């Protein structure tokens, strides 16, 4: 074993959930694997809770392959205690409580990740809530505030306002002084978005978000995960100099668009996915979150919205709930 420190009683094997073959939720299968080992700069986490995210479902369905070298097990975030540290890890010690962004492998009793992608459990939060932070907070921070440069006083529109991403984006944007608008698919979901800090939540089954946002002067920043016909509608909803950030295409990536609008109104269309980015870039996002966002969590100004928890072995049920879109906020798996 190459790690420099480890807890004394680590087993050789662990319980996990693997993807038997590409397909629906039922392909998630309880299994047993050898414990992963932390390489230089990595920590091994004894997982207590693992967050469930829409990209896990894409991976399960066969359309979001893990990057080279990452675990083939699903799971992009987890909380727990450090069980071992690899060489050249100075910031964490065995026994520390952490939550961390993972390259994969969160649906398991133990997972490895670069030490720089772990963060302390924010003051006042438990491990269950902490497991829900990394994937959505890394994504929202890097896209809304770094890539799109949302500023206090600007108008921000987020689609899928009741999603894990949406509930995070609404709270962070409101806490940092933006005027927030959100879309969601039911009155109940819209009410939650407004409780979280949206000035106006738009039920997209009943009203056109373009009309609502344009009546306010247009959105300075839009965070979109829907795509398809939302793309030209987003362009219409943007204010001059507005920025559109795509983080997914739930309804498809292809569309016909009049780019003259982009030129004439000086718009920016951008986007990113978190998982393929370099370790260094994710470490930079982690450092920014620790400085700018962890104090908001500790002060209770921002908090993860918890939908439901399932035992690890019932990951298939957790995925079915997520894909039904009945949930509001985050779904977690109880592992430890
Ligand atoms: N780029 C990145 O790095 C990155 C990272 C994490 C997540 N993501 C993406 O961000 C999105 C949200 O992730 P999440 O984990 O927060 O997911 P989630 O909680 O499952 O939320 C997805 C939401 O989108 C809405 N929705 C679902 N299918 C839709 C469709 N066909 N058309 C329109 N709306 C639909 C649903 O709300 P309604 O009932 O209101 O329609 C649902 O609550 C996902 O697409 C995910 O792949 C991207």
């Amino acid at each position: 074993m190459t790690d420099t420190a480890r807890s004394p009683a680590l087993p050789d094997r662990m319980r996990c959930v693997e993807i038997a073959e590409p397909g629906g939720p039922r392909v998630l299968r309880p299994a047993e694997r050898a414990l992963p080992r932390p390489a230089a700069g990595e920590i091994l986490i004894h997982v207590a809770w693992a967050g469930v995210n829409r990209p896990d479902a894409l991976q399960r369905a066969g359309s979001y392959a893990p990057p080279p070298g990452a675990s083939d097990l699903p799971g992009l975030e987890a909380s727990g205690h450090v069980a071992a540290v690899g060489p050249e890890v100075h910031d964490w010690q065995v026994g520390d409580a952490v939550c961390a962004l993972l390259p994969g492998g969160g649906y398991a009793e133990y997972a490895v990740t670069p030490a720089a992608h772990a963060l302390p459990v924010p003051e006042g939060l438990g491990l269950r809530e902490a497991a829900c932070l990394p994937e959505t907070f890394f994504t929202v921070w890097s896209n809304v505030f770094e890539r799109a440069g949302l500023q206090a006083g600007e108008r921000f529109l987020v689609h899928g306002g009741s999603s894990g991403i949406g509930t995070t984006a609404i709270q962070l944007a409101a806490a940092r002084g933006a005027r927030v608008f959100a879309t969601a698919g039911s009155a109940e979901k819209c009410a939650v978005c407004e409780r979280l800090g949206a000035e106006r939540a738009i039920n997209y089954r009943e009203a056109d978000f373009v009309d609502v946002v344009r009546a306010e002067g247009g959105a300075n920043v839009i965070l979109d995960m829907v795509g398809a016909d939302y793309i030209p509608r987003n362009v219409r909803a943007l204010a001059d100099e507005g920025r559109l950030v795509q983080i997914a295409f739930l309804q498809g990536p292809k569309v016909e668009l009049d780019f003259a609008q982009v030129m004439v109104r000086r718009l920016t269309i951008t986007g990113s996915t978190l998982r393929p980015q370099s370790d260094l870039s994710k470490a930079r996002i982690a450092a920014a979150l620790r400085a700018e966002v962890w104090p908001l969590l500790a002060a209770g100004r921002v908090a993860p919205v918890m939908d439901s928890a399932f035992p690890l072995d019932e990951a298939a049920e957790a995925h079915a709930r997520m894909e039904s879109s009945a949930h509001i906020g985050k779904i977690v798996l109880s592992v430890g």
Side-chain angles (χ1 to χ4, degrees), residues 249-282:
F249 294 97
L250 283 164
Q251 286 185 2
K254 294 192 178 162
V255 75
E256 194 174 300
L257 182 67
D258 176 2
F259 271 87
Q261 286 301 307
V262 176
M263 176 180 69
V264 172
R265 296 199 287 119
R266 302 174 300 284
L267 309 178
T268 302
I269 300 179
T270 181
S272 74
T273 53
L274 183 60
R275 201 173 187 186
Q277 291 183 42
S278 70
D279 284 351
L280 183 61
S281 139
K282 292 176 193 171

Coordinates of all heavy atoms in Angstrom, one line a residue, residues 249-282:
F249 N -28.8 19.5 -22.1 CA -29.7 19.6 -23.1 C -30.8 18.5 -22.9 O -30.9 17.6 -23.7 CB -29.1 19.5 -24.5 CG -28.1 20.6 -24.8 CD1 -26.7 20.4 -24.6 CD2 -28.5 21.8 -25.3 CE1 -25.8 21.4 -24.9 CE2 -27.6 22.8 -25.6 CZ -26.3 22.6 -25.4
L250 N -31.6 18.7 -21.9 CA -32.6 17.7 -21.5 C -33.6 17.4 -22.7 O -34.1 16.3 -22.9 CB -33.4 18.1 -20.3 CG -32.7 17.9 -19.0 CD1 -33.4 18.6 -17.8 CD2 -32.6 16.4 -18.6
Q251 N -33.8 18.4 -23.5 CA -34.7 18.2 -24.7 C -33.9 18.3 -26.0 O -34.6 18.3 -27.1 CB -35.8 19.3 -24.7 CG -36.8 19.0 -23.6 CD -38.0 20.0 -23.6 OE1 -38.1 20.8 -24.4 NE2 -38.8 19.8 -22.6
G252 N -32.6 18.3 -26.0 CA -31.8 18.2 -27.2 C -31.0 19.4 -27.5 O -31.3 20.5 -27.2
P253 N -29.8 19.1 -28.2 CA -28.9 20.2 -28.5 C -29.0 20.9 -29.8 O -28.3 21.9 -30.1 CB -27.5 19.5 -28.4 CG -27.9 18.1 -28.9 CD -29.3 17.8 -28.5
K254 N -29.9 20.5 -30.7 CA -29.9 21.0 -32.0 C -31.1 21.9 -32.2 O -32.3 21.6 -31.9 CB -29.9 19.9 -33.1 CG -28.7 19.1 -33.0 CD -28.5 18.2 -34.1 CE -27.2 17.5 -34.0 NZ -27.1 16.3 -34.8
V255 N -30.9 23.1 -32.9 CA -31.9 24.0 -33.1 C -31.5 25.0 -34.2 O -30.3 25.1 -34.5 CB -32.1 24.8 -31.7 CG1 -31.0 25.8 -31.5 CG2 -33.4 25.5 -31.6
E256 N -32.5 25.7 -34.8 CA -32.2 26.8 -35.7 C -32.2 28.1 -35.0 O -33.1 28.3 -34.2 CB -33.2 26.8 -36.9 CG -32.8 27.6 -38.0 CD -33.8 27.4 -39.2 OE1 -34.0 26.3 -39.7 OE2 -34.4 28.5 -39.6
L257 N -31.1 28.9 -35.2 CA -31.0 30.1 -34.4 C -30.6 31.3 -35.3 O -29.7 31.1 -36.1 CB -30.0 29.9 -33.3 CG -29.7 31.0 -32.3 CD1 -31.0 31.3 -31.4 CD2 -28.5 30.7 -31.4
D258 N -31.2 32.4 -35.1 CA -30.8 33.6 -35.8 C -29.7 34.3 -35.0 O -29.9 35.0 -34.0 CB -32.0 34.6 -35.9 CG -31.6 35.9 -36.5 OD1 -30.5 36.1 -36.9 OD2 -32.5 36.8 -36.6
F259 N -28.4 34.1 -35.5 CA -27.3 34.6 -34.7 C -27.1 36.1 -34.9 O -26.3 36.7 -34.2 CB -26.0 33.9 -35.2 CG -25.7 32.7 -34.4 CD1 -26.3 31.4 -34.8 CD2 -24.9 32.7 -33.3 CE1 -26.1 30.3 -34.0 CE2 -24.7 31.5 -32.5 CZ -25.3 30.3 -32.9
A260 N -27.9 36.8 -35.7 CA -27.8 38.2 -35.8 C -28.1 38.8 -34.5 O -27.5 39.9 -34.1 CB -28.8 38.7 -36.9
Q261 N -29.0 38.2 -33.7 CA -29.4 38.7 -32.4 C -28.1 38.7 -31.5 O -28.0 39.6 -30.6 CB -30.4 37.9 -31.7 CG -31.8 38.0 -32.3 CD -32.2 39.5 -32.2 OE1 -32.2 40.0 -31.1 NE2 -32.6 40.1 -33.3
V262 N -27.3 37.7 -31.6 CA -26.1 37.6 -30.8 C -25.2 38.8 -31.0 O -24.6 39.4 -30.1 CB -25.4 36.3 -31.0 CG1 -24.1 36.2 -30.2 CG2 -26.3 35.1 -30.7
M263 N -25.1 39.1 -32.3 CA -24.2 40.2 -32.8 C -24.8 41.6 -32.4 O -24.1 42.4 -31.7 CB -24.0 40.1 -34.3 CG -23.2 41.2 -34.9 SD -23.0 41.0 -36.6 CE -24.7 41.3 -37.2
V264 N -26.0 41.8 -32.8 CA -26.6 43.1 -32.6 C -26.8 43.5 -31.1 O -26.6 44.6 -30.7 CB -28.0 43.1 -33.3 CG1 -28.7 44.4 -33.0 CG2 -27.8 43.0 -34.8
R265 N -27.1 42.5 -30.3 CA -27.3 42.8 -28.9 C -26.1 42.4 -28.0 O -26.2 42.3 -26.8 CB -28.6 42.1 -28.4 CG -29.8 42.8 -29.1 CD -31.1 42.5 -28.5 NE -31.6 41.2 -28.6 CZ -31.8 40.4 -27.5 NH1 -31.6 40.8 -26.3 NH2 -32.2 39.1 -27.8
R266 N -25.0 42.0 -28.6 CA -23.8 41.7 -27.9 C -23.9 40.7 -26.9 O -23.6 40.8 -25.7 CB -23.2 43.0 -27.3 CG -22.9 44.1 -28.4 CD -22.5 45.4 -27.8 NE -23.4 46.0 -26.8 CZ -24.6 46.6 -27.2 NH1 -24.9 46.7 -28.5 NH2 -25.4 47.0 -26.3
L267 N -24.5 39.5 -27.3 CA -24.8 38.4 -26.3 C -23.6 37.5 -26.3 O -22.8 37.4 -27.2 CB -26.1 37.7 -26.8 CG -27.3 38.5 -27.0 CD1 -28.5 37.7 -27.5 CD2 -27.7 39.3 -25.8
T268 N -23.6 36.7 -25.2 CA -22.6 35.6 -25.1 C -23.3 34.3 -24.9 O -24.2 34.2 -24.0 CB -21.6 35.8 -23.9 OG1 -21.0 37.1 -24.1 CG2 -20.6 34.7 -23.8
I269 N -23.0 33.3 -25.7 CA -23.5 31.9 -25.5 C -22.4 31.0 -25.1 O -21.4 30.9 -25.9 CB -24.3 31.4 -26.7 CG1 -25.4 32.3 -27.1 CG2 -24.8 30.0 -26.5 CD1 -26.2 31.9 -28.3
T270 N -22.5 30.4 -24.0 CA -21.3 29.6 -23.5 C -21.9 28.4 -22.8 O -23.1 28.1 -22.8 CB -20.4 30.4 -22.6 OG1 -19.3 29.6 -22.2 CG2 -21.1 31.0 -21.4
G271 N -21.0 27.6 -22.2 CA -21.5 26.4 -21.4 C -20.3 25.6 -21.0 O -19.2 25.9 -21.4
S272 N -20.6 24.6 -20.2 CA -19.5 23.7 -19.8 C -20.0 22.5 -19.1 O -21.2 22.4 -18.7 CB -18.5 24.4 -18.8 OG -19.1 24.5 -17.5
T273 N -19.2 21.5 -19.1 CA -19.5 20.3 -18.2 C -18.3 20.2 -17.2 O -17.2 20.5 -17.6 CB -19.6 19.0 -19.0 OG1 -18.4 18.8 -19.8 CG2 -20.8 19.0 -19.9
L274 N -18.7 19.8 -16.0 CA -17.7 19.8 -14.9 C -16.7 18.6 -15.0 O -15.5 18.7 -14.8 CB -18.5 19.7 -13.6 CG -17.7 19.8 -12.3 CD1 -16.9 21.1 -12.2 CD2 -18.7 19.7 -11.1
R275 N -17.3 17.4 -15.3 CA -16.5 16.2 -15.1 C -15.2 16.1 -15.9 O -14.2 15.6 -15.3 CB -17.4 15.0 -15.4 CG -16.9 13.7 -14.7 CD -18.0 12.6 -14.9 NE -17.6 11.4 -14.2 CZ -18.2 10.3 -14.2 NH1 -19.2 10.1 -15.0 NH2 -17.7 9.2 -13.5
P276 N -15.2 16.5 -17.2 CA -14.0 16.3 -17.9 C -12.9 17.4 -17.6 O -11.8 17.3 -18.2 CB -14.4 16.4 -19.4 CG -15.8 16.9 -19.4 CD -16.3 16.9 -18.0
Q277 N -13.2 18.4 -16.8 CA -12.2 19.4 -16.5 C -11.1 18.9 -15.7 O -11.1 17.9 -15.0 CB -12.9 20.6 -15.8 CG -13.9 21.3 -16.7 CD -14.5 22.5 -16.0 OE1 -13.8 23.3 -15.3 NE2 -15.8 22.7 -16.2
S278 N -9.9 19.6 -15.8 CA -8.7 19.1 -15.2 C -8.8 19.1 -13.7 O -9.6 19.9 -13.1 CB -7.5 20.0 -15.6 OG -7.7 21.3 -15.0
D279 N -8.0 18.3 -13.0 CA -8.0 18.3 -11.5 C -7.7 19.7 -11.0 O -8.2 20.2 -10.0 CB -6.9 17.3 -11.0 CG -7.4 15.9 -11.1 OD1 -8.6 15.7 -11.5 OD2 -6.6 15.0 -10.9
L280 N -6.8 20.4 -11.7 CA -6.4 21.8 -11.3 C -7.6 22.7 -11.3 O -7.8 23.5 -10.4 CB -5.2 22.3 -12.1 CG -4.7 23.7 -11.7 CD1 -4.1 23.6 -10.3 CD2 -3.6 24.1 -12.7
S281 N -8.3 22.6 -12.4 CA -9.5 23.5 -12.5 C -10.5 23.2 -11.5 O -11.1 24.2 -10.9 CB -10.0 23.4 -14.0 OG -11.3 23.4 -14.0
K282 N -10.7 22.0 -11.2 CA -11.7 21.6 -10.1 C -11.2 22.1 -8.7 O -11.9 22.5 -7.9 CB -12.0 20.1 -10.1 CG -12.7 19.7 -11.3 CD -12.9 18.2 -11.3 CE -13.4 17.6 -12.6 NZ -13.3 16.2 -12.7

